[in-house]
Amino acid sequence: MSRRRIGFWYRLAAVIAKPPLVVLFKRDWRGMEHIPADGGFITAVNHNSYIDPLSYAHFQYNTGRVPRFLAKDGLFKDGFVGKVMKGTGQIPVYRETTNALDAFRAAVDAIERGECVAFYPEGTLTRDPEMWPMTAKSGAARVALRTQCPVIPVAQWGANLALAPYSKKLNLFPRKKLQVLAGEPVDLSRFYGKEPTPEILREVTEEIMAAVTELLEEIRQEKAPETPYDPRKARLAQRRKAADQNGHGGSGNSTENTTEDSK
């Protein structure tokens, strides 16, 4: 595959990052043949460790089609970090916009230029207790419908064993295996030309995440839960539980509450 779009800054980042990844981790990479050789496309990737972007980027760098990650636009301001972000062609997300699609206008432009844009559809590290992909946001679906580009599902596992979600404690030894598996493009053609209503966006997002989850099932040799973990529903359940506990916590009402609960 052509490396015409990698550029100096990405190559420099690879020179710095690849040696420790090679030394500290084993690799099991599959599905590189599904990464398009030409043209713009989206990759939709699960997210279960702060360091898994390095694992995924290493995998895709070796295909010759580097990923352009979405990042907060504030990271692109003056300074060394901003210079690196701009130099490696990362994609700023303008969160202040009132139009949801405009927030991804740079991603749309990159795809139309023939680039790969990497989405973590969950928007953050998974909160699923078993580290399966959780419910996702609609950004990847919006851009996919707008550009009608290929959407390549990618599942990864292993970085989370070295650095668990939301943890700061590295566990590098014994060496962990970084597994990355890319699948065939998700067929979204039946949604093309339809108004991107919330219902359509939800369906497209679920199609994409189902493909990612299926690949992760193959890696883990396990079956994922039928219903993805929904952090919003989990928070609501926690609030209801706390409210119930607070409502029953007063000593003056304990007998009354016990009586009511027994009815």
Side-chain angles (χ1 to χ4, degrees), residues 22-101:
V22 171
V23 170
L24 295 174
F25 297 97
K26 295 179 284 186
R27 298 186 304 281
D28 177 14
W29 292 348
R30 290 176 285 155
M32 285 186 173
E33 67 275 11
H34 297 307
I35 301 298
D38 296 290
F41 64 100
I42 287 170
T43 54
V45 193
N46 68 305
H47 194 17
N48 55 29
S49 174
Y50 287 126
I51 61 174
D52 66 31
L54 294 175
S55 173
Y56 159 65
H58 189 190
F59 164 85
Q60 193 164 319
Y61 181 91
N62 279 30
T63 72
R65 300 298 307 276
V66 296
R68 310 300 182 183
F69 291 93
L70 279 79
K72 294 185 297 185
D73 62 295
L75 294 174
F76 292 78
K77 295 180 181 178
D78 295 336
F80 178 74
V81 172
K83 192 171 185 178
V84 171
M85 296 296 286
K86 294 174 184 175
T88 54
Q90 307 314 313
I91 308 295
V93 176
Y94 301 97
R95 298 179 185 272
E96 73 279 2
T97 182
T98 57
N99 185 303
L101 186 57

Side-chain angles (χ1 to χ4, degrees), residues 177-247:
K177 182 186 293 184
L178 300 179
Q179 297 176 272
V180 184
L181 175 60
E184 296 181 357
V186 182
D187 184 5
L188 302 175
S189 58
R190 70 183 184 278
F191 298 105
Y192 295 161
K194 293 185 178 181
E195 182 71 20
T197 62
E199 177 64 23
I200 290 294
L201 291 172
R202 182 185 62 79
E203 289 185 34
V204 173
T205 300
E206 288 177 353
E207 287 276 333
I208 293 171
M209 292 309 296
V212 175
T213 302
E214 185 176 349
L215 293 173
L216 188 57
E217 288 178 331
E218 182 175 340
I219 290 175
R220 295 177 59 173
Q221 293 295 292
E222 298 178 62
K223 190 67 178 174
E226 289 188 13
T227 303
Y229 180 83
D230 188 331
R232 291 176 297 178
K233 291 181 179 179
R235 285 194 297 269
L236 286 172
Q238 290 172 352
R239 289 170 186 167
R240 290 193 189 102
K241 183 177 179 180
D244 289 343
Q245 290 174 341
N246 290 337

